[in-house]
């Protein structure tokens, strides 16, 4: 595809339910990032993938959050037993390679609302 | 610890005028990259401009330029000839050489007035 795509664009769920958020990076991009952006805030780093491996999971806020990437392409962020404080926009980004000058290309985000 | 500070939560500028958005950073590294992103109300983050710590010239991309003052650890974004479409949130970010993690500031909301 031409850019990073994310689905769903919006998700409303009830507290305690599990949700899966999907990210499809730009073809050929080896690095993939997940961020969380709460209303009016900056971006909070969640996790980074290089290929299928995740060298840094330190940004995941709790063990209810997990992510995987298969085939070096699509990634899924899963939030189990959602809480109201999980409500935010979840942004995915990809880069061709993890070199300093390489900018990230962002998807449109998934807006998650936990009732 | 690495940190990005954007002290202006909101800014107004008249259409066709220039505006400067402030960004200061804190790092002990010598090699790093600085980025500016624009986030319109649609939510998508758009890359604007990049400055490497060893670049001697200030980066420019069309109407965007980066006023890089390494000794002061500042990387201010200058938008010339503001347009209504420039109204958005603007984020400054930093990435250390050899790492993959980007650190973002809290952003500045710019409103361009007609």
């Amino acid at each position: 595809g031409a850019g990073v795509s994310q689905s769903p664009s919006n998700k409303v769920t009830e507290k305690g339910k599990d949700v899966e958020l999907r990210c499809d990076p730009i073809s050929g991009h080896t690095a993939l990032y997940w961020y969380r952006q709460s209303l009016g805030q900056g971006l909070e780093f969640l996790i980074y993938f290089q290929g299928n491996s995740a060298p840094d999971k330190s940004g995941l806020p709790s063990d209810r959050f997990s992510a995987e990437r298969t085939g070096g392409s699509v990634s899924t962020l899963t939030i189990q037993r959602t809480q109201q404080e999980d409500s935010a926009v979840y942004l995915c980004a990809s880069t061709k390679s993890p070199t300093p000058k390489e900018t990230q290309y962002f998807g449109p985000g998934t807006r998650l609302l936990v009732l | 610890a690495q940190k990005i500070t954007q002290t202006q939560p909101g800014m107004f500028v008249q259409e066709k005028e220039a505006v400067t958005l402030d960004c200061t950073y804190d790092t002990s590294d010598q090699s790093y990259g600085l980025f500016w992103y624009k986030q319109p109300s649609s939510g998508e983050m758009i890359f604007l401009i990049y400055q490497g710590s060893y670049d001697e010239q200030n980066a420019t991309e069309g109407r965007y330029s980066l006023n890089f003052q390494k000794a002061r650890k500042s990387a201010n974004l200058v938008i010339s000839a503001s347009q209504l479409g420039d109204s958005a949130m603007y984020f400054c970010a930093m990435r250390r050489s050899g790492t993959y993690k980007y650190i973002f500031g809290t952003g500045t909301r710019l409103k361009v007035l007609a």
Side-chain angles (χ1 to χ4, degrees):
Chain A
V4 179
S5 61
Q6 291 186 247
S7 61
S9 54
N10 293 281
K11 177 72 176 178
V12 180
T13 190
E14 294 179 348
K15 178 182 172 181
K17 299 282 190 184
D18 297 352
V19 294
E20 283 191 353
L21 312 180
R22 175 188 167 110
C23 173
D24 201 341
I26 294 173
S27 177
H29 279 198
T30 61
L32 186 148
Y33 302 75
W34 282 100
Y35 294 92
R36 180 169 69 175
Q37 186 177 27
S38 300
L39 188 64
Q41 301 298 310
L43 275 66
E44 176 189 4
F45 169 82
L46 297 180
I47 191 169
Y48 156 81
F49 286 93
Q50 177 60 30
N52 288 338
S53 64
D56 188 345
K57 303 179 181 179
S58 63
L60 295 177
S62 76
D63 59 7
R64 295 186 295 105
F65 287 72
S66 63
E68 65 175 14
R69 189 179 185 195
T70 55
S73 181
V74 172
S75 176
T76 302
L77 177 69
T78 301
I79 309 173
Q80 295 178 310
R81 305 181 302 281
T82 52
Q83 304 294 312
Q84 289 181 332
E85 60 263 29
D86 299 334
S87 296
V89 176
Y90 290 82
L91 289 166
C92 175
S94 69
T95 67
K96 188 182 297 184
S97 63
T99 53
K101 199 170 185 174
E102 197 69 37
T103 185
Q104 300 173 97
Y105 294 88
F106 284 83
T110 292
R111 286 161 180 77
L112 176 65
L113 177 62
V114 183
L115 301 176
Chain B
Q2 322 290 316
K3 187 178 179 182
I4 294 282
T5 302
Q6 295 181 253
T7 58
Q8 307 153 313
M11 290 278 287
F12 291 94
V13 65
Q14 206 66 38
E15 193 178 10
K16 299 179 185 177
E17 292 187 352
V19 63
T20 298
L21 306 184
D22 295 342
C23 172
T24 58
Y25 57 93
D26 187 13
T27 181
S28 57
D29 292 342
Q30 295 302 310
S31 181
Y32 49 87
L34 297 159
F35 303 80
W36 276 92
Y37 293 87
K38 172 184 178 181
Q39 188 178 42
S41 56
S42 61
E44 192 161 352
M45 295 281 282
I46 302 166
F47 165 72
L48 295 178
I49 196 166
Y50 165 83
Q51 178 83 43
S53 60
Y54 289 117
D55 293 343
E56 294 186 353
Q57 301 289 328
N58 284 344
T60 61
E61 290 286 346
R63 294 186 299 110
Y64 304 108
S65 61
L66 202 151
N67 184 1
F68 180 48
Q69 298 186 42
K70 192 170 182 177
R72 298 181 61 184
K73 294 187 177 179
S74 73
N76 299 339
L77 177 70
V78 181
I79 305 175
S80 63
S82 297
Q83 302 173 356
L84 295 178
D86 294 335
S87 295
M89 279 287 284
Y90 289 81
F91 291 96
C92 181
M94 178 174 66
R95 179 178 174 183
R96 296 165 62 192
S97 180
T99 74
Y100 45 78
K101 194 180 259 189
Y102 295 76
I103 300 164
F104 284 80
T106 53
T108 295
R109 183 172 298 279
L110 177 67
K111 175 70 174 176
V112 180
L113 305 174

